[in-house]
């Protein structure tokens, strides 16, 4: 099936057309302030480049940093009410207790704690206080708050109370959009609640953005469903992505690493993605990014997202270089590269200019960097090579030599050889690796559940079956499903041989329309 | 309600004269910075167990924001007949991640015990300094105004009630009070032994959702001075501060831990396999770590029962409880719990000296390698001087 992959980054919006293992076309355009007009331009240019090949496209997969940037930059966020079903427990730590003050003040649409929740084994902790939920809903309506985040104790085991509360909220306040924590997170109430509130305060932006993406596709004359790529290298249908914008937070680096694996045919490697502003180093294992160990902070908020383990440094094609005193970055000209850089007629010395002067790249007007001092060029190249090497070396987990895949618009800045690296691999279309990664994204199904009184083999088999069923209902082709993560954790002190098992399967998108994407 | 008084007294009054007279340190009000450091240090001293103190630290931030505070007192300043509450949050760390920690809830069993004894406490202290329980009594102190005694009964974290300095000293194991988040309270007025107290209280804890606030057998000032492990709150604070400072100055936090605790680095590597299983109500298993750098080519296996108990290098036992076995993140110095250690983590295995009381015959019986099912004679990595 032909697929279009689009990556909307902070600097560039890229689009590719992929058919099986072939990249039929690739374009790179500037990201626009409104995001969507950039997507429209990219799709138009791609269609112009590939001609008739554009017909028969089965899906458009968009990866975007738009939602995570909204949180980090505190822009375009709506207010959200936090409803926690927990009393009499958890009373001393209210929602958003460990948030940065500015973000909490911006999005706080009221905090409500009501009686209810479950035990670790699914018994109710206390009955749900439905009257209190209804009162909270009426207060939200009075306050004009139209998005709510609902979190109940142990809801990853049973979502019953969250679902009942959502029904009451909608009955009392028909305009409200509700996010349930059980659809987003794992065990760990505060972190799951944090993610739920972040999701709820992105509700308006997600609605607008996904709608605009759909319009951009329609205007391009492409008749194919829209998918949004997720943190883990899989996709969600537009309808689901609109409800779960938080799952796209880390899709940019994931797409670039997956795209690098696809383009090079190498599944185990280090990946260096040199963009306009930063360079990210990650590690590919079996074609997927290695994930971070612990708690991941997004805009200062603790989450338990599964995110690629990345190390970022402020080096990219747009990074500003100063001769006296000698500094390289961290400030970048960002999306103004094609106006501000010397080779593009501007008057700011950037790493792109250094690369052209050093003969590493042939972009723009070479004569405009002819007068740069050779010693400054050499010194800068040595400095960035050393810093890139140090970053790659810190991310390596063993001493043996592995390949390094150099991708991104600034990949020319990567050194030709490095200690501990068997070879530096550069591939065709490396500059649009992230859009390629979007085009080849897969579908997943995950379960995270506590099982009792079952032996290990049996419970893992049951968990895997549940995960497979979720993936298929999300649109996966059952014949392509494979388990990418399986973990069982016996629970100390709990009776009846309780085991928490987490299983995740992924597969290629099937030819039929998905019914919805689910996350454990 | 008044009840017959069962004030525990020392079984061995001669002990009182054993310790040299030392001038007690003056009481001091802990700053929030001290408590941030305590949480970090306690998590390292938890030797993989005891639960992440983060939620309790959040409670302390809230309580300090409300203008409350905590005073730390030197155990040596306690009068002999002072009454000290020994506190812990009991249960499965995983449940604590959903039910969070609640300061008011932690106070409940303390009040129950006071009603039962017909007498108010003079101070509170930790059952175990390692993990979340290192911070737990501070929540009670902030709400009640009782001072916190700079001491605990483990010097680290251990899974069971009989694995304490006061049990090794054969002090009385009862009474115990236990509170659930609902309106359920339990008093265990008497138990045959520390092991029976462990079995009965564990059963109750499981029934109320595998999490309960407890007030263990109260101790007199004399007992604390003679049998508690002294100045461990300060030790955890100093440890946490050393790590925080190293991070700020971009120095190696792992070296900072060693410096603060007089410890040894045993192994540096990457976790390549974790095998966990629940047996007899505990989290047991082992993690295998493949050597990096100086340890390249070697394999280190660390076993755990909630906490890390024994470590083998290339098949040879090299470190065992009661020496503290700490597995920390090689870069950040953060402690890594036995419930979260996983494939791919880059870790450093450290040994820190264990409390003296556990090196005795009775101590080793309670917490030596055989108490954890290893047929090994205890040998400290710190024996015979440090190389």
């Amino acid at each position: 099936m032909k697929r279009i992959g689009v990556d909307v980054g902070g600097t560039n919006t890229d689009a590719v057309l992929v058919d099986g293992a072939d990249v039929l076309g690739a374009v790179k355009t500037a990201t626009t302030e409104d995001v969507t007009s950039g997507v429209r331009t990219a799709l138009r240019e791609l269609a112009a480049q590939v001609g008739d090949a554009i017909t028969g496209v089965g899906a458009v997969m968009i990866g975007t940093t738009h939602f995570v940037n909204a949180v980090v930059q505190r822009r375009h966020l709506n207010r959200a009410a936090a409803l926690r079903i927990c009393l009499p427990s958890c009373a001393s730590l209210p929602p958003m207790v460990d948030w940065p003050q500015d973000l909490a003040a911006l999005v706080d649409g009221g905090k409500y704690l009501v009686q209810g929740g479950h035990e670790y084994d699914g018994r109710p902790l206390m009955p749900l206080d439905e009257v209190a939920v209804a009162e909270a809903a009426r207060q939200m309506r009075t306050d004009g708050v139209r998005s709510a985040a609902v979190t109940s104790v142990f809801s990853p085991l049973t979502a019953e109370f969250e679902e009942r509360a959502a029904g009451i909220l909608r009955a009392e306040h028909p305009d409200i959009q509700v996010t349930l924590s059980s659809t987003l997170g794992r065990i760990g109430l505060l972190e799951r609640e944090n993610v739920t509130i972040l999701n709820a305060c992105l509700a308006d932006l997600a609605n607008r953005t996904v709608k605009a993406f759909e319009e951009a596709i329609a205007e391009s004359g492409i008749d194919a469903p829209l998918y949004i790529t997720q943190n883990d290298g899989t996709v969600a249908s537009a309808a689901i992505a609109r409800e779960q914008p938080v799952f796209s937070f880390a899709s940019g680096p994931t797409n670039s690493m997956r795209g690098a694996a696809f383009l090079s045919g190498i599944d185990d490697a280090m990946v260096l993605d040199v963009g306009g502003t930063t360079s990210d180093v990650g590690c590919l294992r079996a074609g997927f990014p290695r994930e971070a160990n612990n708690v991941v902070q997004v805009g200062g908020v603790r989450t338990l997202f599964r995110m690629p383990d990345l190390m970022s440094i402020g080096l990219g094609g747009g990074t500003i270089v100063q001769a006296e005193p000698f500094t390289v970055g961290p400030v970048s000209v960002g999306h103004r590269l094609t106006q501000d850089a010397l080779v593009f007629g501007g008057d700011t010395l950037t790493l792109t200019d250094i690369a052209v002067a050093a003969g590493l790249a042939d972009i723009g007007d070479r004569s405009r960097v002819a007068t740069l001092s050779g010693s400054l060029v050499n010194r800068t190249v040595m400095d960035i090579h050393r810093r890139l090497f140090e970053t790659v070396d810190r991310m390596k987990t063993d001493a043996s030599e592995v390949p390094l895949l150099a991708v991104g618009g600034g990949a020319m800045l990567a050194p030709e050889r490095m200690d501990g690296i068997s070879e530096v691999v550069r591939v065709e279309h490396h500059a649009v690796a992230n859009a390629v990664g979007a085009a080849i994204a897969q579908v997943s199904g995950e379960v995270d559940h506590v099982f009792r009184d079952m032996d290990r083999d049996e419970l893992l088999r049951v968990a895997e079956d549940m995960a497979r069923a979720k993936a298929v209902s999300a649109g996966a082709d059952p014949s392509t499903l494979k388990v990418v993560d399986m973990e069982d954790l016996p629970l100390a002190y709990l009776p009846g041989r309780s085991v928490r098992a987490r299983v995740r399967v992924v597969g290629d998108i099937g030819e039929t329309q998905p019914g919805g994407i689910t996350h454990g | 309600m008044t009840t017959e008084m069962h004030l525990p007294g020392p079984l061995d009054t001669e002990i009182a004269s054993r310790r040299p007279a030392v001038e007690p340190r003056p009481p001091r009000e802990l700053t929030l910075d001290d408590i941030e450091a305590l949480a970090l240090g306690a998590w390292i001293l938890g030797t993989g167990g005891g639960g992440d103190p983060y939620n309790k630290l959040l409670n302390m931030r809230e309580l300090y924001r409300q203008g409350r505070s905590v005073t730390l007192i030197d155990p040596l300043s306690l009068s002999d007949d002072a009454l000290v509450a020994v506190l812990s949050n009991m249960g499965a760390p995983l449940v604590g991640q959903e039910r969070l920690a609640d300061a008011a809830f932690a106070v409940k069993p303390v009040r129950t015990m006071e009603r039962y004894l017909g007498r108010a406490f003079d101070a509170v202290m930790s059952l175990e300094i390692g993990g979340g329980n290192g911070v737990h009594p501070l929540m009670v102190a902030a709400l009640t105004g009782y001072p916190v005694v700079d001491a605990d009964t483990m010097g680290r974290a251990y899974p069971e009630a009989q694995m304490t300095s006061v049990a090794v000293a054969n002090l009385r194991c009862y009474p115990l009070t236990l509170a659930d988040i609902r309106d359920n309270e339990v008093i265990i007025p008497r138990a045959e032994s520390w092991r029976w107290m462990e079995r009965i209280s564990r059963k109750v804890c499981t029934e109320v959702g595998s999490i309960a606030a407890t007030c263990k057998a109260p101790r007199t000032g004399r007992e604390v001075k003679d049998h508690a492990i002294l100045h461990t709150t300060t030790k955890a604070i100093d440890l946490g501060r050393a790590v925080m400072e190293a991070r700020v100055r971009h120095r190696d936090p792992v070296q900072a831990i060693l410096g603060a605790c007089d410890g040894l680095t045993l192994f540096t590597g990457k976790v390549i396999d974790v095998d966990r299983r629940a047996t007899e109500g505990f989290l047991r298993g082992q993690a295998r770590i493949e050597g990096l750098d100086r340890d390249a080519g070697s394999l280190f296996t660390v076993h755990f029962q909630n906490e890390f108990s024994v470590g083998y290098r290339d098949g040879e036992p090299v470190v065992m409880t009661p020496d503290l076995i700490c597995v920390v993140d090689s870069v950040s110095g953060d402690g890594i719990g036995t419930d979260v250690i996983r494939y791919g983590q880059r870790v450093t295995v450290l040994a820190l000296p264990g409390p003296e009381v556990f090196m005795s015959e009775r101590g080793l019986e309670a917490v030596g390698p055989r108490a954890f099912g290893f047929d090994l004679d205890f040998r400290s990595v710190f024996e015979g001087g440090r190389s």
Side-chain angles (χ1 to χ4, degrees):
Chain A
M1 180 173 74
K2 281 186 207 169
R3 293 192 263 178
I4 290 173
V6 181
D7 176 78
V8 186
T11 309
N12 292 309
T13 295
D14 306 335
V16 297
L17 176 63
V18 172
D19 188 5
D22 303 319
V23 179
L24 302 182
V27 297
K28 197 175 242 322
T29 64
T31 293
T32 52
E33 195 63 40
D34 69 345
V35 177
T36 40
S37 62
V39 172
R40 209 175 302 137
T41 306
L43 289 176
R44 194 173 55 232
E45 289 188 11
L46 183 68
Q49 188 187 87
V50 301
D52 286 347
I54 202 85
T55 56
V57 166
V60 178
M61 340 274 269
I62 298 184
T64 179
T65 52
H66 203 41
F67 302 130
V68 70
N69 286 346
V71 172
V72 172
Q73 298 168 2
R74 295 8 182 180
R75 298 167 68 200
H76 312 303
L77 302 174
N78 58 266
R79 282 194 300 155
L83 173 70
R84 189 196 289 170
I85 304 168
C86 62
L87 295 180
S89 72
C90 306
S92 64
L93 298 179
M96 298 194 269
V97 65
D98 58 351
W99 283 39
Q101 197 51 47
D102 64 327
L103 183 58
L106 189 65
V107 304
D108 186 359
K111 300 166 198 158
Y112 304 89
L113 271 58
V114 304
Q115 181 191 286
H118 283 84
E119 301 271 24
Y120 67 91
D121 58 1
R123 284 180 295 166
L125 181 72
M126 289 289 266
L128 175 65
D129 185 345
E130 300 191 338
V131 173
V133 176
E135 276 171 16
R138 288 191 288 273
Q139 187 61 48
M140 292 173 202
R141 197 178 58 197
T142 307
D143 295 345
V145 174
R146 291 185 299 112
S147 184
V150 180
T151 310
S152 184
V153 172
F154 273 115
S155 66
L157 296 187
T158 165
E160 183 198 341
F161 285 0
E162 287 187 358
E163 283 162 2
R164 267 167 59 192
I168 297 167
L169 289 175
R170 290 192 186 106
E172 296 285 340
H173 186 359
D175 295 337
I176 204 154
Q177 186 158 346
V178 183
T179 302
L180 303 186
S181 83
S182 50
T183 63
L184 298 178
R186 302 193 249 162
I187 303 278
L189 182 110
L190 274 186
E191 291 79 9
R192 187 174 72 250
E193 179 179 71
N194 285 347
V195 166
T196 310
I197 299 169
L198 285 179
N199 196 73
C201 66
L202 285 164
D204 291 350
L205 181 66
N207 282 330
R208 283 201 306 272
T209 306
V210 173
K211 186 158 172 275
F213 284 160
E214 285 175 325
E215 285 169 3
I217 294 169
E219 283 171 27
S220 312
I222 297 163
D223 181 21
L226 166 67
Y227 294 87
I228 305 291
T229 66
Q230 310 281 286
N231 299 335
D232 62 0
T234 61
V235 290
S237 67
I240 298 290
R242 187 191 309 251
E243 289 177 8
Q244 304 182 334
V246 289
F247 278 137
S248 73
F249 278 2
S251 64
T254 301
N255 287 343
S256 103
M257 292 176 69
R258 298 249 311 130
F262 177 84
L263 291 169
S264 65
I266 300 173
D267 275 356
D268 292 283
M270 302 298 295
V271 179
L272 170 62
D273 181 1
V274 188
T277 305
T278 60
S279 292
D280 298 327
V281 176
C283 181
L284 267 176
R285 285 183 48 236
F288 281 85
R290 183 181 77 211
E291 289 174 347
N293 276 338
N294 291 316
V295 167
V296 176
Q297 301 233 355
V298 177
V301 177
R302 274 168 69 99
T303 75
L304 290 177
F305 279 127
R306 307 176 72 91
M307 293 230 190
D309 189 8
L310 285 184
M311 192 171 282
S312 295
I313 55 170
L315 276 186
T319 296
I320 297 173
V321 180
Q322 249 188 40
E324 282 302 329
F326 178 70
T327 52
V328 181
V331 180
S332 165
V333 295
H335 68 263
R336 296 189 50 83
L337 179 68
T338 51
Q339 292 123 65
D340 292 359
L342 296 182
V343 291
F344 293 119
D347 51 15
T348 308
L349 178 59
T350 67
L351 282 181
T352 296
D353 301 311
I354 295 287
V356 172
L360 300 172
D362 187 11
I363 314 168
D365 181 358
R366 185 174 197 133
S367 68
R368 290 188 46 89
V369 292
T371 56
L372 282 180
S373 106
S375 70
L376 174 66
V377 172
N378 282 341
R379 187 178 178 190
T380 309
V381 170
M382 279 170 63
D383 182 68
I384 59 175
H385 282 186
R386 179 184 53 79
R387 284 163 65 188
L388 291 174
F389 164 71
E390 282 173 5
T391 312
V392 169
D393 194 55
R394 284 180 68 182
M395 287 298 286
K396 277 188 68 189
T397 44
D398 64 67
S400 63
E401 294 200 331
V402 292
L404 175 78
L405 311 181
V407 298
M412 71 280 186
L413 297 173
E416 276 307 315
R417 50 184 76 249
M418 281 190 207
D419 283 346
I421 293 296
S422 56
E423 57 172 331
V424 176
V425 179
R426 296 166 207 269
V427 288
E428 209 191 342
H429 302 304
H430 69 81
V432 291
N434 36 24
V436 173
I440 61 160
Q442 295 178 302
V443 184
S444 74
E446 181 171 320
V447 283
D448 180 355
H449 192 78
V450 174
F451 295 89
R452 295 182 60 184
D453 297 319
M454 289 166 79
D455 70 36
R456 186 167 186 266
D457 291 345
E458 186 189 358
L459 73 89
L460 287 178
R461 199 179 60 243
V462 171
E464 186 183 328
D465 287 347
M466 289 165 69
R468 282 177 180 273
K470 280 192 173 186
V472 170
S473 81
D477 172 354
S479 67
T480 63
L481 287 178
K482 62 178 180 188
V483 176
V484 292
D485 196 9
M486 183 179 279
E487 184 182 43
D488 61 310
L489 176 61
L491 303 177
Y493 303 124
L494 302 190
R497 290 190 298 142
S498 305
V499 176
R500 173 176 165 196
R502 184 155 57 223
V503 176
R504 191 161 73 97
V505 301
V506 301
D508 296 334
I509 289 188
E511 295 296 323
T512 52
Q513 248 336 74
I517 302 270
T518 43
H519 290 265
Chain B
M1 182 188 73
T2 48
T3 324
E4 185 194 354
M5 292 274 290
H6 274 296
L7 273 193
L11 300 178
D12 180 2
T13 48
E14 287 169 37
I15 289 172
S17 58
R18 272 193 215 153
R19 289 180 197 267
V22 182
E23 198 59 34
R25 300 170 201 175
R28 70 178 179 110
E29 196 170 299
L30 294 179
T31 64
L32 193 53
D33 259 9
D34 290 327
I35 298 169
E36 303 270 345
L38 171 63
L40 210 167
W43 190 214
I44 294 168
L45 292 175
T47 65
D52 188 337
Y54 181 70
N55 288 340
K56 286 170 180 171
L57 173 62
L58 283 183
N59 269 282
M60 292 310 300
R61 287 184 191 157
E62 284 298 288
L63 290 164
Y64 268 63
R65 199 171 298 152
Q66 294 160 16
R68 299 191 184 259
S69 66
V70 174
T71 301
L72 186 70
I73 59 168
D74 192 324
L76 301 177
S77 69
L78 289 169
S79 67
D80 286 357
D81 63 352
L83 191 64
V84 178
V86 181
L87 306 180
S88 87
N89 187 56
M90 182 174 185
L94 180 100
V95 177
Q97 289 176 39
E98 282 291 311
R99 301 262 288 257
L100 307 185
D102 190 318
F105 169 50
V107 173
K108 279 174 73 179
V110 178
R111 295 305 186 203
T112 310
M113 183 67 86
E114 288 180 325
R115 283 197 305 276
Y116 177 67
L117 296 175
R119 180 181 163 181
F121 282 109
D122 298 299
V124 296
M125 71 180 243
S126 294
L127 173 77
E128 56 182 348
I129 194 66
N133 279 333
V135 183
H136 182 85
L138 276 68
M139 299 194 300
V140 175
L143 283 181
T144 60
Y146 290 145
V148 172
V149 180
D150 187 357
D152 76 317
T153 70
M154 292 185 179
R156 47 173 296 166
Y158 272 129
E160 297 183 57
Q162 74 278 6
M163 296 175 170
T164 64
S165 61
V166 292
V168 168
N170 209 18
L171 302 189
R172 204 190 312 263
C173 66
Y174 56 84
L176 177 145
T177 57
L178 182 151
D180 170 31
I181 194 73
R182 288 148 292 212
D183 202 13
N184 299 311
E185 292 181 9
V186 174
I187 301 170
I188 302 174
R190 248 189 126 81
E192 162 79 17
S193 65
W194 284 98
R195 283 175 195 277
W196 270 107
M197 181 57 92
E198 162 66 26
R199 287 172 67 176
I200 296 167
S201 56
R202 187 71 62 191
K203 204 80 180 168
V204 176
C205 174
T206 304
E207 191 51 38
V208 297
S210 282
I211 196 162
T214 66
C215 178
K216 311 288 190 197
R219 304 269 72 107
T220 65
R222 186 73 259 162
E223 287 176 320
V224 170
K225 286 182 277 189
D226 292 339
H227 298 295
I229 300 167
L230 307 184
H231 305 129
T232 47
T233 311
T234 297
K235 179 183 173 180
I237 292 172
D238 290 348
L239 170 57
R241 278 207 182 282
V243 173
M244 286 158 89
E245 265 181 44
R247 286 180 189 164
V248 170
R249 291 165 196 268
H250 301 289
R251 294 197 187 126
D252 182 1
V254 177
Q255 285 303 320
I257 298 171
L258 297 177
C261 296
D262 229 3
L264 290 172
T265 297
L266 300 178
F267 201 77
T268 302
K270 184 183 101 172
V271 179
I272 56 163
D273 183 52
V274 179
D275 173 22
R276 292 187 188 90
R277 58 195 183 279
T279 46
E280 295 152 43
F282 295 104
L283 185 64
R284 287 200 170 96
Q286 54 179 315
R288 294 196 298 144
I289 305 162
E290 194 175 70
L292 289 174
D293 307 328
R294 268 190 335 183
D295 297 308
S298 279
L299 187 72
F300 199 94
T301 306
V302 58
H303 294 255
F304 50 83
Q305 176 183 335
N306 292 10
E307 287 80 29
F308 296 109
S309 48
V310 176
Y312 292 80
R313 186 189 180 112
D314 296 325
E316 285 299 309
V318 292
V319 61
M320 58 195 80
T321 164
D323 283 349
L324 277 67
I325 306 168
C326 305
V327 178
V328 301
D329 183 302
S330 293
V331 175
S332 71
D334 271 321
I336 296 179
T338 56
D339 52 343
V340 295
I341 187 168
R342 76 180 207 204
Y343 178 89
Q345 286 174 326
R346 298 183 80 163
V347 300
T348 301
V349 184
L350 309 175
L352 310 181
E356 202 59 42
V357 57
F358 294 132
M359 307 297 166
S360 66
E361 195 179 320
R362 268 188 62 83
L364 289 174
E365 205 174 292
V367 301
R370 288 199 171 81
F372 294 88
F374 294 89
D375 191 19
L376 297 170
D377 291 322
F378 173 67
R379 195 184 143 79
S380 172
V381 290
F382 300 99
E383 239 169 66
R386 317 221 351 227
S387 48

